[in-house]
Amino acid sequence: MAGQRSEAAVIQRDLQIRRADSSTLNVEVYDRGLGAADRALVVVQGSTCNTTQSLKWFDQVMRGAATRWVVVVAKDGSSGNGACGAGYEAHATEEARWFDHLVALRRVKQELHLRSDGAFQLLAVSAGGLTACAVAGATQDVSAVALLSTGGGITFEQELGILTKGDPRFAERRRRVQTDPRLGQTWMGDTNPEIWWWSVLDKRCLPLLDNYRGPVFVAHGLSDTSTPIESARSLVESLKARRLDVTSVELPTEHDLGLSTLPANENGIGRALAWLKTH
């Protein structure tokens, strides 16, 4: 290949892992045919249920990854339009997603014969940041973490308080979801079941990273109306106080970090991929 990549060169295979409830976790493994063969880049998407191929930014990741392998732990019930189908709600809580990723990474490491330590780089977007932080803090297998539009320095509940400016109607619904999440109901969009919100409102990245000592990249849009930039800034300041190697980028964009407005090397994905190549 001599440094070249064609779309046809990418080979995908799926690993099937049986959960304790006999359901099947699907792990997508993409072989790019070039890059570091002893490591893998793990992509963690946000709260939508998009199939990997329907993520507009995934092809940019495939072109710019530093590793031969790119891994995605698929969500149950994924669809091309991002709506969550049957099976998703049963495994939608944050803790369930964290466990799925830890089990998947262990299996991938064995299957691909990756290096003994630091085998994985993590690239997380939006709500996927919590999973990335949890995995990085729970295993020695993570060598670098890139967090894009994830916030993480304050809890989801505090972030929503900033975004809604204390709207009492919103606050009342939030309190009800915290105490009485209802199966079969969604909140703030069809891709977000109440059980997921119930599991995530009191969580933030910072304590999950207590045992992580590797480098962190944080990118956030100055005009982000989905995740307040104050949360990202709080995370960066706290990690620097722990003397971690932190790189922070603030872009003049919304939540998508300029995917549709900036050149590929200047948007959030491009900045993260360039940073990962140096780590």
Side-chain angles (χ1 to χ4, degrees), residues 139-192:
T139 175
Q140 297 296 316
D141 282 331
V142 175
S143 60
V145 178
L147 303 172
L148 311 185
S149 301
T150 65
I154 59 178
T155 66
F156 263 56
E157 181 179 7
Q158 292 169 321
E159 291 176 356
L160 292 175
I162 293 173
L163 294 173
T164 61
K165 299 179 173 59
D167 184 319
R169 292 172 299 178
F170 185 91
E172 178 59 31
R173 179 68 182 275
R174 185 193 68 222
R175 284 191 290 270
R176 202 272 294 159
V177 169
Q178 284 177 307
T179 58
D180 181 29
R182 298 171 184 174
L183 293 176
Q185 292 195 25
T186 59
W187 186 39
M188 295 180 65
D190 291 338
T191 65
N192 302 293

Side-chain angles (χ1 to χ4, degrees), residues 163-242:
L163 294 173
T164 61
K165 299 179 173 59
D167 184 319
R169 292 172 299 178
F170 185 91
E172 178 59 31
R173 179 68 182 275
R174 185 193 68 222
R175 284 191 290 270
R176 202 272 294 159
V177 169
Q178 284 177 307
T179 58
D180 181 29
R182 298 171 184 174
L183 293 176
Q185 292 195 25
T186 59
W187 186 39
M188 295 180 65
D190 291 338
T191 65
N192 302 293
E194 287 192 356
I195 192 67
W196 178 75
W197 282 107
W198 169 82
S199 74
V200 80
L201 282 170
D202 63 347
K203 292 180 175 59
R204 58 180 180 145
C205 266
L206 188 60
L208 296 171
L209 289 171
D210 279 350
N211 295 319
Y212 178 69
R213 295 295 178 267
V216 180
F217 175 87
V218 177
H220 213 91
L222 290 166
S223 302
D224 193 330
T225 55
S226 294
T227 307
I229 195 169
E230 293 91 339
S231 186
R233 288 171 174 169
S234 176
L235 178 67
V236 169
E237 292 171 2
S238 298
L239 294 179
K240 286 182 176 179
R242 296 181 184 177

Side-chain angles (χ1 to χ4, degrees), residues 3-77:
Q4 300 296 314
R5 172 191 179 271
S6 68
E7 296 299 327
V10 176
I11 299 172
Q12 177 188 349
R13 65 172 170 137
D14 293 347
L15 299 177
Q16 307 291 324
I17 301 175
R18 186 175 296 278
R19 297 189 181 100
D21 64 357
S22 295
S23 64
T24 300
L25 172 65
N26 188 57
V27 184
E28 302 167 4
V29 178
Y30 296 86
D31 182 355
R32 300 171 59 248
L34 74 164
D38 64 342
R39 290 185 179 181
L41 173 64
V42 180
V43 175
V44 188
Q45 73 179 83
S47 60
T48 68
C49 287
N50 286 86
T51 58
T52 304
Q53 289 71 26
S54 68
L55 295 171
K56 295 180 179 179
W57 44 268
F58 187 71
D59 188 61
Q60 186 179 347
V61 172
M62 293 296 289
R63 292 194 304 269
T67 61
R68 173 178 172 179
W69 314 101
V70 175
V71 176
V72 179
V73 179
K75 287 187 178 181
D76 295 26

